[in-house]
Amino acid sequence: QGLEDPPPDRWWYCLHRRADLAEAEPVVRGVFLTQPSTAASHVLSGRAKREEFMLLAGHCGWAPGQLQDELDEGDAWLMVASDTDALLSSLPRQQAALQRSRERSGQAAFGRGFPLWSRLFSKASADTDVPWANSMLDRRADDV
């Protein structure tokens, strides 16, 4: 479920790096999750800037044991340590670019996040001998 779905069916969240914000739920060290309405109230009150939040829409879910089965198969997932800076260090720059795009076109600018995932995957797979690494994101991009 994404942004086009009615609110009761919509799955959306904001990621950010601000541990000091109320209702910040830790995801990994240095990355927090909050509801978009909470992020908006922080921005409107001046406690945060909108560039500090990344809106994510949709979700992935697995049946019991399904994720472990996919990990065991070895051709769908690459396990690496989390890297907060790799995930969110460019967030303010990316958000500013989306805002400029919105101002030029008059419409909200959204992306599927493939440039970010491509950068993260390239970094994660650089020291890994994974024969399917180069084509993984291309296959996922074709699926959506």
Side-chain angles (χ1 to χ4, degrees):
Q1 293 91 352
L3 291 174
E4 68 279 356
D5 293 308
D9 297 326
R10 190 177 297 152
W11 288 75
W12 57 345
Y13 311 92
C14 288
L15 288 182
H16 62 89
R17 299 178 81 171
R18 299 274 307 272
D20 62 310
L21 296 178
E23 300 180 36
E25 181 180 334
V27 178
V28 295
R29 186 179 66 237
V31 178
F32 302 90
L33 182 75
T34 193
Q35 292 296 316
S37 58
T38 304
S41 70
H42 290 308
V43 170
L44 291 172
S45 71
R47 290 188 302 267
K49 297 177 183 175
R50 67 177 156 196
E51 294 85 17
E52 294 180 284
F53 298 96
M54 176 187 287
L55 177 67
L56 303 174
H59 76 286
C60 292
W62 290 267
Q66 181 182 356
L67 181 56
Q68 186 61 55
D69 289 345
E70 291 177 13
L71 288 167
D72 292 344
E73 287 176 18
D75 66 351
W77 296 100
L78 182 61
M79 297 289 291
V80 297
S82 64
D83 184 339
T84 304
D85 286 334
L87 177 61
L88 295 177
S89 64
S90 62
L91 182 57
R93 182 181 47 78
Q94 292 169 342
Q95 298 297 68
L98 287 173
Q99 182 62 30
R100 286 190 303 273
S101 174
R102 180 180 184 178
E103 289 167 356
R104 281 193 302 269
S105 70
Q107 297 180 340
F110 299 103
R112 293 186 176 161
F114 285 111
L116 172 62
W117 286 114
S118 181
R119 190 180 79 244
L120 292 173
F121 190 78
S122 293
K123 183 176 181 175
S125 62
D127 297 325
T128 308
D129 184 24
V130 181
W132 47 268
N134 291 333
S135 64
M136 182 179 176
L137 280 175
D138 292 335
R139 286 184 297 165
R140 298 296 180 248
D142 292 341
D143 291 342
V144 281

